[in-house]
Amino acid sequence: MLLLTAPVFSQNNFMDFSGTADHVSLGDLGAANDWTIEVWFHYTTLSNFENIFSTDDLGGNANLIRLETSASYFGGALYIIGNVGTQTVAPHAATSTYFSPGWHHIAIVGDQTNSKFYAYLDGIERVNISQASWPTTFHDFVIGRGFTSDPGRDFNGLIDDFRIWNVARSQADIVASMNTELNGNEAGLFAYYNFNQGTCGANNAGLSLTDSAPLGGTQNGTLNGFGALDGCSSNFVCAGPTCGFPAPPISGSSTAVPTLGQWGLIVLTLLLLSLGTVALRTRQRVLAGTSNSSSISFRELPFDKGLFGKILLPVALVVFMIFVLAVGLFGYEMTSSDVPGSLIAVPLLAYLLHLVGERGK
């Protein structure tokens, strides 16, 4: 019996910030020594002075680190401000190249031990300076606003997978895990917000933002200004048909069969099933007296060219439609293994079905 298992898609949430008072208060996170702050964010258009986060809510420019976007400010389209001065991560010209509208990952590293400050956008180093002045504490950490309570400075976009570490992470470590959700127990992980609580686009009134890094203590976030927490604005949202937002490129946000290793298992399984079917048919012919050899010869492998051709196209179309539905409905992003994996698996599956069909003739 051939069992065909449909791909299983898991869909995780992220947060929609409307740009008018929506923000998450994490509170006092204590002393700041060596640290790394990471977040995935999505913007569609840029407005001046929108704050993605600040380590001191409404704290001005002193004793803090703040991340802002801008349409025309001299700091650039994306910049960091605070004890480090104003550090450009992406100049305005980058909005047509490496900082175009969409999902982006930023990692900001304070290596106080070595007096160094770094920023990595989508894994690429954009800031590397020597630094002597540091924030002494993350006094009142906030996501979605920062400098003042002016709604014009609130972030308008999507945020996911916010991480705060009490270590200065290397570029290699950042790149290795930026596209994968964490378990929450990683060494040095102080606070972790994956935004997966709640129901996408539904009534989530009364929920808070859960800290999924128990080793650093519990720093759950308080949701402020989100209104009723219902619907696909100012709420926990997702990719796919419910809210229609683009999915962040994070494993777990929109993962689908198969990875490269899974493609290998699929191909191996199809090969074994095909060879097993051929061996069974050879054994049956021997018992029936229509063959003198019980061994399998590749020259004698059954192959009906016409039947195989009739089966190959429908199989390819079915696999193609699975990917179309995965991308269109679940926000799945194609990986480098999908094309070669499917090009190998499709004819093998067609050959196996051809064997079954040929036997029934």
Side-chain angles (χ1 to χ4, degrees), residues 101-121:
W103 282 102
H104 293 280
H105 176 272
I106 181 126
I108 303 172
V109 181
D111 186 356
Q112 189 168 350
T113 299
N114 296 300
S115 300
K116 294 291 291 183
F117 181 83
Y118 307 92
Y120 304 94
L121 181 63

Side-chain angles (χ1 to χ4, degrees), residues 24-315:
V24 182
S25 299
L26 306 184
D28 188 352
L29 301 187
N33 297 308
D34 290 348
W35 46 268
T36 303
I37 301 169
E38 298 182 63
V39 60
W40 279 97
F41 65 97
H42 179 287
Y43 84 90
T44 303
T45 59
L46 294 175
S47 298
N48 281 341
F49 314 126
E50 289 190 359
N51 287 256
I52 296 174
F53 74 83
S54 174
T55 61
D56 191 1
D57 188 19
L58 312 184
N61 292 326
N63 197 34
L64 55 77
I65 295 294
R66 198 170 74 245
L67 180 65
E68 291 189 355
T69 63
S70 160
S72 60
Y73 182 61
F74 80 90
L78 181 69
Y79 57 93
I80 303 159
I81 199 166
N83 289 63
V84 296
T86 300
Q87 300 297 326
T88 300
V89 179
H92 294 293
T95 57
S96 62
T97 54
Y98 63 82
F99 191 55
S100 58
W103 282 102
H104 293 280
H105 176 272
I106 181 126
I108 303 172
V109 181
D111 186 356
Q112 189 168 350
T113 299
N114 296 300
S115 300
K116 294 291 291 183
F117 181 83
Y118 307 92
Y120 304 94
L121 181 63
D122 298 326
I124 305 299
E125 183 183 281
R126 299 296 179 184
V127 177
N128 180 341
I129 62 171
S130 297
Q131 181 64 23
S133 176
W134 300 92
T136 57
T137 180
F138 289 168
H139 173 67
D140 191 7
F141 208 112
V142 63
I143 302 172
R145 77 171 185 182
F147 184 70
T148 70
S149 58
D150 176 4
R153 304 192 72 111
D154 297 338
F155 181 64
N156 184 8
L158 308 171
I159 289 180
D160 196 12
D161 217 62
F162 204 107
R163 310 170 180 185
I164 303 172
W165 306 77
N166 58 16
V167 294
R169 304 193 80 207
S170 68
Q171 182 179 15
D173 287 340
I174 290 166
V175 171
S177 64
M178 60 185 273
N179 295 107
T180 307
E181 285 193 346
L182 303 177
N183 295 321
N185 60 356
E186 286 79 0
L189 185 62
F190 178 77
Y192 178 44
Y193 307 94
N194 58 26
F195 294 87
N196 288 340
Q197 57 268 205
T199 302
C200 172
N203 189 332
N204 292 300
L207 290 185
S208 60
L209 184 62
T210 304
D211 177 13
S212 300
L215 296 181
T218 301
Q219 294 86 26
N220 290 338
T222 301
L223 305 180
N224 302 290
F226 287 90
L229 273 178
D230 197 0
C232 290
S233 177
S234 298
N235 196 8
F236 294 97
V237 296
C238 60
T242 302
C243 289
F245 288 110
I250 312 171
S251 298
S253 321
S254 192
T255 53
V257 172
T259 63
L260 184 59
Q262 290 168 329
W263 273 121
L265 290 175
I266 290 171
V267 170
L268 178 61
T269 300
L270 291 173
L271 279 172
L272 292 176
L273 285 172
S274 298
L275 291 175
T277 302
V278 172
L280 177 62
R281 293 185 59 183
T282 301
R283 178 63 177 168
Q284 289 173 338
R285 288 199 300 270
V286 170
L287 293 176
T290 58
S291 174
N292 296 322
S293 175
S294 60
S295 62
I296 301 174
S297 170
F298 284 101
R299 292 182 178 181
E300 297 177 356
L301 284 176
F303 182 72
D304 185 322
K305 184 177 180 180
L307 180 60
F308 177 78
K310 291 179 181 179
I311 294 175
L312 179 62
L313 181 59
V315 170

Side-chain angles (χ1 to χ4, degrees), residues 326-348:
V327 171
L329 297 182
F330 298 94
Y332 175 63
E333 296 194 1
M334 298 285 287
T335 70
S336 59
S337 64
D338 288 330
V339 173
S342 56
L343 288 177
I344 297 172
V346 164
L348 284 174

